[in-house]
Amino acid sequence: MRRSLVMPLAALLALSVSPAFAQVKATAQNVPEIQYDSVPNFFKLPPGLYLGEAIGIATNSKGHVFVYTRSANTRLFEFDQNGVYVREVGEGAYNFEFAHSVREDKDDNIWVVDEGTNTVTRFNPEGHITMVLGRRPPAVLGMPAAPPPPPPPAAKYTFGRPTDVAWDPQGNIFVSDGYVNHRVVKFDKNGRFVKMVGSERAGGEPSQFSTPHGIAVDNNGNVYVADRGNNRMQVFDNNLVLRNIYDNIGVSWTVCISPGPHQYLFSSNSNPNGNTPGSWDITGEIYKMELDGTIIGKFGHASKQLGGFQVVHMMDCRNPDQIFVAEIESWRAQKLLLKPATGTPVRPTTTAAR
């Protein structure tokens, strides 16, 4: 019975993804190239177990890697620091329907964002659920009908296909929400609504979003949002007041910030699903940046071969010289070892301070 419910929902979600996402060539000029190596056969699955679409990837303080994947069912696998399979987390959990992202917080709690169930869920390191944000629509109600326009106002505690989650140093929770709503929501550490920016409507003005697809927070509590449909990254302070817009790095599918005293910002100009004509020539790279938008360099390219990227959906940058990427269309995850950048960094040219 569960599978018969999953398949129509997955089909509906796939069909409802807007075809308006277009490949965009980054406008940053003379960006240094960062050389890198891809570690071959790093992830070692048991016989008979396979990755589907690799949607999310994250590491914990021990160096263990978590891969969130869509296959016949949504599943979350843990590997040790050498890529050896450890366990499956949350098998059969009510919040697993259509994976979107996985993150690890400072206490090694495992957070998953599932756009199929409209939930953001925290597992403790032992794999027990300790917090749920949002609510899964009850299956007994059948497939939810699309509301007639205009869309209803975004609610405090329910999501519309959320995409990602992040935290500030005080433990406040930030959720990008996502495909139906187009907003970022701030909750306190106990899950109580604080405020939001954006709304239920897509928009292209500053502080509006068109599919906020990824989110990260720096040590000062500033919030970085991959505004995918608007081909830009928006940066907000901790109260969700706009500070900057970085619009020279292409689509910005996903965003990652490394920890430590000197933090680095990563953004992926991923080639689009379906590999539309010409997209391989102008997309596929990942940018390494300073938090102020200065581009240190870029690496990678669109390719089905190992070492290239086939639609990077998420990445982990706990070690800024060792990047993990999760790819949709090659059904794989890769470990990348970056070499030092050479060349002159590119200073930001288009920022919108508020």
Side-chain angles (χ1 to χ4, degrees):
M1 177 61 70
R2 182 174 183 271
R3 184 157 183 171
S4 67
L5 291 173
V6 169
M7 294 306 291
L9 178 58
L12 177 65
L13 290 173
L15 289 172
S16 63
V17 174
S18 170
F21 293 127
Q23 66 272 14
V24 173
K25 180 178 175 63
T27 58
Q29 301 291 317
N30 302 314
V31 176
E33 290 285 342
I34 299 175
Q35 301 300 315
Y36 65 98
D37 295 316
S38 175
V39 179
N41 304 314
F42 179 76
F43 293 99
K44 304 166 186 66
L45 283 160
L49 192 61
Y50 302 93
L51 291 182
E53 293 180 336
I55 295 300
I57 195 161
T59 61
N60 67 11
S61 63
K62 299 176 181 178
H64 286 207
V65 188
F66 295 79
V67 180
Y68 199 27
T69 178
R70 301 172 185 163
S71 51
N73 298 304
T74 281
R75 306 177 77 172
L76 177 61
F77 300 134
E78 179 181 352
F79 302 84
D80 70 12
Q81 66 273 16
N82 298 312
V84 176
Y85 178 84
V86 174
R87 60 172 176 163
E88 181 171 356
V89 178
E91 182 178 8
Y94 189 56
N95 61 304
F96 281 180
E97 188 72 75
F98 201 66
H100 204 273
S101 75
V102 60
R103 298 281 189 181
E104 289 271 341
D105 66 20
K106 63 181 179 59
D107 299 314
D108 283 347
N109 293 305
I110 310 156
W111 295 68
V112 294
V113 179
D114 191 281
E115 62 168 300
T117 60
N118 290 329
T119 57
V120 178
T121 305
R122 182 181 69 192
F123 294 87
N124 66 15
E126 291 72 41
H128 303 297
I129 292 174
T130 57
M131 181 180 285
V132 178
L133 300 175
R135 182 169 186 262
R136 176 175 182 157
V140 70
L141 299 179
M143 293 301 298
K156 291 181 179 180
Y157 294 105
T158 57
F159 302 124
R161 296 179 62 190
T163 54
D164 206 355
V165 64
W167 316 268
D168 65 17
Q170 291 71 43
N172 295 305
I173 306 162
F174 296 83
V175 176
S176 53
D177 178 40
Y179 281 96
V180 175
N181 295 319
H182 301 268
R183 63 176 182 162
V184 168
V185 190
K186 179 181 180 179
F187 301 92
D188 69 16
K189 64 181 181 180
N190 297 310
R192 294 179 179 175
F193 177 88
V194 177
K195 67 180 303 183
M196 73 177 196
V197 62
S199 70
E200 68 280 358
R201 297 172 181 267
E205 295 299 315
S207 298
Q208 295 180 335
F209 305 100
S210 179
T211 312
H213 199 252
I215 193 167
V217 181
D218 69 20
N219 287 342
N220 293 318
N222 298 307
V223 182
Y224 300 71
V225 183
D227 190 8
R228 176 181 164 191
N230 285 322
N231 307 315
R232 66 189 182 188
M233 183 187 298
Q234 297 197 70
V235 185
F236 300 84
D237 69 14
N238 198 253
N239 293 313
L240 298 180
V241 176
L242 183 66
R243 292 306 183 199
N244 288 293
I245 296 176
Y246 305 152
D247 59 3
N248 60 346
I249 50 176
V251 173
S252 193
W253 270 61
T254 185
V255 59
C256 186
I257 296 178
S258 64
H262 188 148
Q263 297 189 284
Y264 294 98
L265 172 66
F266 293 83
S267 179
S268 177
N269 184 28
S270 299
N271 54 308
N273 291 325
N275 299 289
T276 50
S279 62
W280 279 27
D281 297 329
I282 60 173
T283 59
E285 75 278 10
I286 295 172
Y287 290 87
K288 181 179 182 180
M289 308 164 65
E290 301 286 1
L291 297 182
D292 67 359
T294 298
I295 301 174
I296 298 170
K298 63 180 180 178
F299 58 95
H301 58 281
S303 174
K304 294 180 181 291
Q305 299 295 327
L306 194 69
F309 307 142
Q310 191 58 21
V311 191
V312 171
H313 192 267
M314 194 174 183
M315 55 190 162
D316 176 272
C317 60
R318 182 180 292 267
N319 179 341
D321 297 319
Q322 178 179 282
I323 307 300
F324 290 92
V325 295
E327 302 169 58
I328 298 177
E329 293 196 1
S330 287
W331 305 351
R332 70 186 176 199
Q334 295 187 66
K335 178 180 179 179
L336 310 174
L337 304 178
L338 304 189
K339 300 178 181 180
T342 58
T344 303
V346 178
R347 300 296 177 184
T349 57
T350 53
T351 59
R354 293 292 185 269

